[in-house]
Amino acid sequence: MGDKVEIDKQAFHDRLASFIGAWKKDQRSGDTLFGGANSIVILMGRPDDAAFTSYRKNNAMHLWLLGYEFPATLILLTAEKVYIVTTTKKAKHLEPLVGGKTPVELLVKGKDAEQNTKNWTTCIDVIKAAGKKVGTIAKDASTGPFVDEWNEAFKEPLKELTEVDISQGLSAAALSVQDESELRIVRTASKACTSLMAEFFVEEMSEVLDEEKKVSHKQLSDRIDKKVDDKSFFTNAKAKLPGDFDTEQLEWVYGPVVQSGGKYDLKLSAQSDDTNLHAGTIIAGMGLRYKNYCSMVARTYLVDPNKSQESNYKFLLTLHESIISSAKDGMDLKEVYNKALGMIRAKKPDMEKHFLKNVGAGIGIETRDATLIINGKNTRKLSDGMTLCIMTGFSDITNPEPQDKRSNTYSLLLMDTIRIKDSPGAVVFTNSAPSDLESTSFFFKDDEEEQESPKAKTKKDSKVGAVATSNITKTKLRADRAKQNDEGAEQKRREHQKELAAKKQEEGKKRYSEATGDQNGVTTKKFKRFESYKRDNQFPSRVERLEIVVDQKASTVVVPIMGRPVPFHIHTIKNASHSEEGDYTFLRINFLSPGQGVGRKDDQPFEDPSAHFVRSLTFRSKDSHRMEDISNQITELRKNIVRKEQEKKEMEDVVEQDKLIEIRNRKPVRLDNVFVRPGLDGKRIPGEVDIHQNGLRYKDHRGNNIDVLFSNVRHLFFQPCTHELIVIIHVHLRNPIMIGKKKAKDVQFYREATDMQFDETGNRKRKHRLHDEEEFEQEQEERRRRAALDREFKGFAEKIQNAANEDGITVDIPFRELGFNGVPFRSNVFMQPTTDCLVQLTEPPFTCITLEEIEIAHLERVQFGLKNFDMVFVFKDFHRAPVHVNTIPVESLEGVKDWLNSVDIPYYEGPLNLNWGSIMKTVTGDTHAFFEDGGWGFLNNESDDEGGEEESEESAFEMSDGSVAALDEESSDEESDFDDDASADASEEDGSFDESGEDWDELEKKAARKDRESGLVDEEVGKKRKR
């Protein structure tokens, strides 16, 4: 072990305290993880290549606690102290650990046999004193003289003790749940894996297949193996790796493995053989360790697949996504497996015999955590922060249409590294390697036929040359040629929208393949118990006088009933009122009970709705002031409780960020003289923004700070001051933070672009020059100042991007040329699309809609004659309320449609505003049934039949109440010039159409005569017209 070994003392003691705390907690709650162990022995012998590859529990604990492996070392843990037996050289590196939160004692093993025996005796005495149960790692395969010496010394004392397996306890308390820094390393290892898979292996494999080269599986694996050392490859990879990424810390833990030609081994111990790559079903898998943490990925590639193979792969993909989405905090591992098994039995029961016995395990420092294997028996629960390797596959499937002898059987495998969250849907670290059928299918045989078929269909006129054909247009008028091109673009847009809608429908059916949803669209509320007092001595002293007492501290009203004080928690009380009748004042207290017909806000579940309930209590007294005071106190207490609950609910999504790690050894990158929004309390004053190791810090001259961690940043925007009064760096957060007393999900740093010292009103004295040269110079200076501001802020935003490279943050700039006016809240603002969002950053409240979260868009009030239309965004999370952007000018309609189409968002349009509350209630009520019934197709107002446009217009006018009301008002104000008789006559004339026709003078005379005969022309109207 070299001299460069530096152990992080703070991290060691923090993790050790966390581990011992979890151990003690398990002892108090029934010894389910540590088996009641009173002491723990972690023994490590000499280095072993096999142990290094997979990292057994003892190796993993060394790395987790110390950051290094210390061979020939014994760690003995008790609830109060830690003993470490090791050699003299290693003890020097461990000396800094002495004197922390938990006492650490080093026992040095040297050449003195007597001293060594004394060390073993000390350890054995500590174990005996702690208790009769000693925790060890089952199936520990440590070897070497150090291990043999300990086993010999411990043989006799062990007869008086009981060994218990602590593997599950080590996993739960230390290894399975990763902290933020560990998750970053796992994510980096995942990016390295997916880069090799998607950007190197796929290209190599395609070249071999395309050129029909004879390359063995082993040779392909060796090429991947060598690529790990290529620093330039990872520097230029599409998956952005951290700036300090070090290829020397990459090591293989799985593969690389390439398999094809009917022989497949889906175990992690599989190796590439010397047979040549076969153009059929190809399985590639690889796993890397980076800075001691692992990640693995595997994909199946299909070459010229038949329909059966495509169908099976689509089912595998759906099953894989279902497993990932069901893996969430609190879920049993066996439930995840059994749910997948149930899906197979329901949809493809013939595939059950080919399904793997488990679908993955925990991953981290260990390549495969044996206590976290996902099978039908494991009862361990998943926790937020766990990392898993999900491995979904079918082995030895019979191919009904084999291409050759090596295609008779095939296997399918998908493997991804994921992170468990507390909400449904895990984070997939390896999603940069695409797994959809289009990306994993390769077709070589039918290329020539596909190229020839379009030529056969095209018929050319022999009289017209190639150049002339391209110049022939369908119209002779120049003005109509632009319309002709627009019609072509509109047709392409409609076709693309149909594809997007069909794709969205298929995704919906896959995502909600089983009946899901809330009960009739309403989330079931849980019954809550409220306890006012645990003991009698906690009652207020005034209850002895048997009077009504409002206890503000316990949120309880104590009333006398039958000579005894009875407490009622304020949550059980609906309201209180008082009334005067004669000499008495009556106080009425109404309680919540089933069947009252109260509003939705007051509705709450009851433990037993069929029980007898007291609906109200009435008290009377001659002291009217006393009764009024009690009524007011109860009302005020009720208001305070409701307000506190609303505040608590509002603050539920606010997270407490980790501490900002400041840069100490150098001056941080700084942006001076900036203002922040939302503003801090007090007068608005400028401050400065610093870039630190893991986040940003804004501070003003009053000492107020705002910290924003990179891990909490969802989007980073830079908006230049072109056509604006301010230049902006805007941060949109994943989770809200507290700024002052308010929560905020957006933090903005800005500087005003105009020179405030310059008076634009003309009140100052000016020196007039010829041709107003001074004004021209001022305009030039203004342009230079704005350009300098843009450069400064953009440069700072790019520095933020570089500092937060590990978190995948990139600077996004709004596209002003695609912008449009709209009303997302109350005021009309200018909305601007960016690469990933639709934003409005100039005027608070800000708008930031992430495009990847959008399910569909609906354009409302799109009908002839209206100057504005509305746009509604429905999110993929159907429980999230749709977002409206109202009053968009109709001139922007085509631009909005083009933008939505370009970012692959399916949109629909209609003439009316829809009730989205009831629509989303239907969707969430049974999402599976919603998509089975056609999904969002009900929004489509177009028809492919002839005359569809006329029908849609008629239906729009019939359904629009506003239009009918407007017509009624017009008809009441002004009489119509025609009646039913006239229209009937006109229809008769239209029916008897004469080819010869009549001139205009005759037609006008006839119309006037009929008007006079029918009495439709009023004399007064005639007089007005004459005037």
Side-chain angles (χ1 to χ4, degrees), residues 435-446:
S435 57
D436 57 288
L437 185 60
E438 293 180 4
S439 303
T440 56
S441 299
F442 297 85
F443 297 91
F444 295 98
K445 288 186 178 180
D446 299 328

Side-chain angles (χ1 to χ4, degrees), residues 464-718:
V464 182
V467 177
T469 305
S470 63
N471 290 323
I472 292 176
T473 60
K474 294 180 181 179
T475 178
K476 296 179 181 179
L477 303 176
R478 292 178 183 172
D480 292 341
R481 290 179 189 171
K483 295 179 183 178
Q484 182 181 325
N485 294 333
D486 290 344
E487 289 174 4
E490 175 67 20
Q491 185 62 29
K492 288 182 181 178
R493 191 169 67 192
R494 287 184 180 180
E495 291 175 359
H496 186 219
Q497 281 298 311
K498 285 182 180 179
E499 292 174 5
L500 290 176
K503 186 178 179 182
K504 190 64 67 177
Q505 175 70 5
E506 288 298 318
E507 288 177 359
K509 286 183 178 180
K510 288 179 181 178
R511 203 189 333 168
Y512 302 99
S513 55
E514 299 175 1
T516 57
D518 306 326
Q519 297 176 354
N520 299 321
V522 180
T523 305
T524 306
K525 296 182 179 180
K526 295 181 180 178
F527 173 76
K528 292 183 180 179
R529 288 183 174 274
F530 301 102
E531 191 173 28
S532 298
Y533 307 105
K534 292 184 178 180
R535 293 179 296 277
D536 292 344
N537 57 7
Q538 292 179 337
F539 275 87
S541 57
R542 288 180 294 165
V543 299
E544 295 178 356
R545 301 197 293 266
L546 291 179
E547 61 182 26
I548 301 174
V549 178
V550 180
D551 188 353
Q552 301 281 348
K553 187 177 180 181
S555 301
T556 300
V557 179
V558 184
V559 299
I561 299 178
M562 305 293 289
R564 293 182 61 86
V566 180
F568 291 94
H569 198 276
I570 193 65
H571 280 98
T572 64
I573 297 174
K574 184 182 176 185
N575 54 41
S577 61
H578 66 282
S579 60
E580 295 183 4
E581 295 182 13
D583 296 335
Y584 291 96
T585 300
F586 290 83
L587 173 68
R588 182 183 177 91
I589 301 175
N590 296 316
F591 297 95
L592 292 170
S593 60
Q596 284 185 318
V598 293
R600 286 179 295 174
K601 292 182 179 178
D602 295 328
D603 191 16
Q604 67 176 34
F606 294 88
E607 188 174 21
D608 183 10
S610 62
H612 292 282
F613 287 83
V614 177
R615 286 200 170 182
S616 65
L617 291 174
T618 304
F619 299 88
R620 72 173 188 176
S621 172
K622 290 186 177 182
D623 189 351
S624 60
H625 296 291
R626 169 72 177 157
M627 291 290 104
E628 183 180 356
D629 184 47
I630 292 172
S631 175
N632 292 337
Q633 285 185 42
I634 295 174
T635 304
E636 193 64 30
L637 180 60
R638 177 76 182 164
K639 286 181 181 178
N640 292 338
I641 289 295
V642 170
R643 189 182 70 252
K644 286 180 182 178
E645 286 185 346
Q646 289 175 346
E647 291 175 355
K648 185 179 178 182
K649 188 176 181 180
E650 188 179 349
M651 296 299 172
E652 278 180 352
D653 55 347
V654 177
V655 297
E656 185 177 348
Q657 299 184 114
D658 293 338
K659 290 184 179 179
L660 185 79
I661 303 174
E662 298 183 50
I663 294 176
R664 300 288 187 183
N665 54 355
R666 60 178 174 82
K667 187 177 180 181
V669 179
R670 177 170 295 173
L671 184 65
D672 291 320
N673 195 27
V674 293
F675 297 94
V676 66
R677 291 195 291 194
L680 295 165
D681 297 335
K683 186 180 178 182
R684 188 181 72 118
I685 59 173
E688 53 195 25
V689 186
D690 294 341
I691 303 176
H692 292 279
Q693 288 187 25
N694 64 335
L696 305 173
R697 169 167 286 176
Y698 172 85
K699 53 185 178 183
D700 59 19
H701 305 307
R702 289 191 295 252
N704 297 320
N705 290 345
I706 299 176
D707 292 344
V708 178
L709 296 192
F710 295 141
S711 59
N712 194 27
V713 175
R714 180 72 184 276
H715 300 292
L716 175 66
F717 302 102
F718 159 68

Side-chain angles (χ1 to χ4, degrees), residues 36 77 115 134 286 320-321 334 394 464 895 918 984 1005:
L77 295 97
Q115 181 61 38
V134 55
M286 58 191 71
H320 188 66
E321 291 172 352
K334 68 175 184 179
F394 297 107
V464 182
S918 60
K1005 289 177 182 177

Side-chain angles (χ1 to χ4, degrees), residues 18-257:
S18 171
F19 177 79
I20 293 176
W23 181 16
K24 290 179 178 178
K25 184 179 178 181
D26 183 63
Q27 289 176 336
R28 293 192 298 268
S29 59
D31 296 321
T32 56
L33 297 174
F34 289 87
N38 306 112
S39 57
I40 294 174
V41 175
I42 300 172
L43 180 64
M44 188 164 170
R46 62 187 174 196
D48 185 3
D49 292 338
F52 172 77
T53 305
S54 60
Y55 276 173
R56 300 187 183 108
K57 286 281 189 295
N58 48 7
N59 305 66
M61 284 300 293
H62 273 245
L63 291 168
W64 187 71
L65 283 171
L66 305 169
Y68 300 90
E69 286 181 283
F70 282 79
T73 300
L74 180 143
I75 300 177
L76 171 61
L77 295 97
T78 66
E80 291 79 24
K81 194 173 182 180
V82 177
Y83 299 83
I84 302 178
V85 182
T86 188
T87 58
T88 306
K89 192 174 181 181
K90 299 185 188 73
K92 292 180 180 178
H93 299 298
L94 296 171
E95 282 178 359
L97 303 179
V98 178
K101 296 179 183 177
T102 306
V104 177
E105 183 176 340
L106 297 177
L107 302 174
V108 181
K109 181 181 180 301
K111 296 181 180 179
D112 188 352
E114 186 178 345
Q115 181 61 38
N116 294 340
T117 304
K118 190 177 179 180
N119 290 338
W120 299 135
T121 305
T122 302
C123 292
I124 292 167
D125 291 342
V126 169
I127 292 171
K128 288 181 178 179
K132 291 187 177 181
K133 290 185 177 181
V134 55
T136 58
I137 301 170
K139 301 178 182 178
D140 186 3
S142 301
T143 58
F146 183 87
V147 176
D148 296 339
E149 194 173 333
W150 164 252
N151 289 336
E152 183 65 30
F154 196 51
K155 186 190 299 182
E156 287 299 322
L158 186 59
K159 294 177 182 178
E160 303 174 10
L161 302 169
T162 304
E163 274 189 301
V164 292
D165 182 21
I166 55 163
S167 300
Q168 189 169 337
L170 296 181
S171 173
L175 305 175
S176 60
V177 178
Q178 321 296 341
D179 59 26
E180 187 176 346
S181 61
E182 292 172 307
L183 288 171
R184 285 184 187 173
I185 299 172
V186 175
R187 189 184 291 113
T188 302
S190 301
K191 288 181 179 179
C193 277
T194 53
S195 298
L196 287 170
M197 177 69 77
E199 300 178 38
F200 181 73
F201 170 74
V202 172
E203 295 298 324
E204 291 289 314
M205 177 188 67
S206 302
E207 184 181 344
V208 170
L209 296 173
D210 196 19
E211 300 179 7
E212 298 182 356
K213 295 179 180 179
K214 292 186 177 180
V215 178
S216 69
H217 300 145
K218 187 77 167 59
Q219 288 173 325
L220 266 177
S221 299
D222 291 341
R223 292 181 190 180
I224 303 170
D225 188 8
K226 292 176 183 176
K227 203 67 180 175
V228 169
D229 300 323
D230 187 354
K231 294 182 180 179
S232 61
F233 169 77
F234 291 104
T235 304
N236 300 319
K238 292 180 182 178
K240 295 180 180 178
L241 291 158
D244 59 348
F245 181 75
D246 185 7
T247 55
E248 293 182 1
Q249 298 200 53
L250 284 175
E251 289 138 353
W252 289 107
V253 293
Y254 166 51
V257 183

Side-chain angles (χ1 to χ4, degrees), residues 766 768-779:
R766 293 184 54 184
H768 295 277
R769 298 182 182 181
L770 187 63
H771 304 305
D772 211 359
E773 294 177 3
E774 183 183 13
E775 187 173 343
F776 176 74
E777 290 176 3
Q778 289 166 355
E779 290 178 0

Side-chain angles (χ1 to χ4, degrees), residues 451-463:
Q451 291 172 4
E452 290 174 2
S453 57
K455 294 179 182 178
K457 292 178 182 177
T458 307
K459 294 182 179 180
K460 292 185 178 180
D461 190 351
S462 58
K463 297 179 182 179

